[in-house]
């Protein structure tokens, strides 16, 4: 099968199922994963699909959002390295905000047992990892819980973040780019992320490089809001330079 034929078939599958993933396509067409990634890049550039973690969705479905279980298994090695690197950004004492996100949840699980930090979070999986931590003073922000992300949103959460000033925010995002900034599919979740940014003196973004270039429906910040991006070595030098030009430090793991 020639590449254009394969790409048309990939597009058909994406429209039928709502999503395609790289590994399944590679197996189906008996080609390498890198070949499929090139196909998806061509389809993305033509506006036919939108690349997402591990695959693609049909263009126009910017509301697509993988659930927690799917995101937990995506880029697991990269997320683990990012979380370990983020440990160095924990203050010796004081307060932090942990955003709802699977990489941030990995950081929460790795916080040393001797830590005596005050931690604020609106993410249920994050809170669950810290609930039994002996030294942590844990504050769980309330609100309507989004089933897909297990994050509290809406007015209660916004009011809570308006009342605090934390030392460091460890922030998550669904997509980022130097021009498009930080984006997520849901407006309510974006509003809480914006409130968390405003509630912190320092912002550390934890995001694997697969999210680079992804733009979703709701924009909640720019790199002017971010002090440090911790990502993996898959980030292109061009993107890294553009992000640094915005005043953000970039750490590759």
């Amino acid at each position: 099968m020639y590449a254009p034929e394969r790409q048309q078939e990939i597009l058909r599958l994406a429209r039928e199922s709502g999503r395609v993933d790289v590994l399944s396509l590679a197996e189906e067409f008996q080609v390498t994963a890198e070949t499929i990634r090139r196909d998806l890049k061509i389809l993305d550039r033509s506006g036919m699909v939108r690349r997402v973690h591990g695959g693609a969705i049909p263009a126009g479905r910017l509301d697509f959002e993988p659930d927690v279980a799917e995101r937990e298994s995506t880029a697991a090695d990269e997320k683990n390295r990012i979380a370990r690197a983020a440990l160095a950004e924990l203050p010796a004492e004081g307060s932090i905000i942990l955003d709802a996100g699977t990489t941030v949840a990995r950081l929460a699980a790795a916080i040393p047992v001797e830590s005596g930090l005050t931690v604020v979070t609106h993410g249920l999986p994050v809170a669950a990892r810290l609930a039994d931590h002996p030294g942590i003073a844990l504050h769980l922000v309330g609100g309507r819980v989004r089933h897909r992300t297990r994050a509290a949103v809406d007015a209660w959460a916004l009011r809570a973040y308006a009342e605090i000033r934390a030392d460091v925010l460890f922030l998550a995002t669904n997509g980022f780019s130097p021009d498009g900034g930080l984006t997520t599919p849901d407006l309510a979740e974006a509003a809480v992320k914006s409130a968390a940014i405003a509630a912190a003196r320092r912002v550390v973004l934890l995001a694997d490089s697969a999210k680079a270039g992804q733009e979703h429906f709701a924009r909640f910040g720019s790199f002017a809001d971010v002090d440090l991006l911790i990502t993996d070595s898959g980030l292109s030098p061009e993107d890294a330079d553009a992000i640094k030009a915005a005043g953000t430090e970039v750490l590759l793991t």
Side-chain angles (χ1 to χ4, degrees):
M1 181 181 289
Y2 293 109
E5 296 175 305
R6 186 176 59 248
Q7 290 157 15
Q8 286 300 311
E9 184 64 12
I10 290 171
L11 179 59
R12 182 188 68 79
L13 292 170
R15 287 172 173 169
E16 282 185 359
S17 63
R19 178 188 172 106
V20 289
D21 70 86
V22 170
L23 296 181
S24 295
L25 290 173
E27 182 177 354
E28 178 165 344
F29 293 109
Q30 293 297 294
V31 295
T32 66
E34 186 56 38
T35 296
I36 295 298
R37 291 189 185 97
R38 285 196 295 269
D39 289 336
L40 295 181
K41 184 180 294 186
I42 290 169
L43 290 170
D44 180 89
R45 287 176 176 171
S46 67
M48 298 295 185
V49 303
R50 177 76 67 176
R51 295 174 72 191
V52 297
H53 297 200
I57 60 173
R61 288 199 61 198
L62 293 182
D63 60 336
F64 175 82
E65 187 176 13
D67 61 20
V68 171
E70 182 176 349
R71 287 186 289 120
E72 277 284 0
S73 62
T74 302
D77 290 341
E78 290 85 351
K79 290 177 179 179
N80 286 334
R81 293 200 304 272
I82 291 167
R84 286 195 297 270
L87 287 171
E89 301 304 318
L90 291 172
E93 56 185 20
S95 57
I96 63 172
I97 298 170
L98 296 181
D99 190 13
T102 53
T103 309
V104 178
R106 282 170 161 81
L107 169 61
I111 292 177
V113 68
E114 66 271 16
S115 176
L117 292 168
T118 295
V119 177
V120 181
T121 186
H122 60 284
L124 270 63
V126 173
R129 284 167 166 82
L130 292 173
D132 294 326
H133 196 295
I136 293 292
L138 178 63
H139 297 261
L140 179 59
V141 171
R144 175 177 64 87
V145 175
R146 293 192 66 231
H147 297 297
R148 186 161 289 277
T149 61
R150 311 295 194 270
V153 297
D154 293 343
W156 287 359
L158 296 177
R159 284 199 298 269
Y161 280 126
E163 294 174 356
I164 68 169
R165 188 69 169 162
D167 295 311
V168 185
L169 161 64
F170 292 91
L171 181 65
T173 187
N174 293 77
F176 68 87
S177 68
D179 296 327
L182 314 177
T183 58
T184 193
D186 185 74
L187 282 169
E189 196 132 4
V192 176
K193 289 176 181 291
S194 293
I197 290 171
R201 297 181 181 89
R202 175 173 167 81
V203 176
V204 178
L205 177 64
L206 309 183
D208 62 84
S209 64
K211 297 175 181 178
Q214 302 299 323
E215 293 187 12
H216 297 269
F217 178 64
R219 187 175 187 271
F220 62 88
S222 71
F223 277 102
D225 302 310
V226 177
D227 297 285
L228 170 65
L229 165 64
I230 304 180
T231 186
D232 59 81
S233 57
L235 185 69
S236 71
E238 295 79 13
D239 280 344
D241 288 343
I243 291 168
K244 290 174 185 176
T248 302
E249 183 184 354
V250 177
L251 174 61
L252 302 181
T253 62

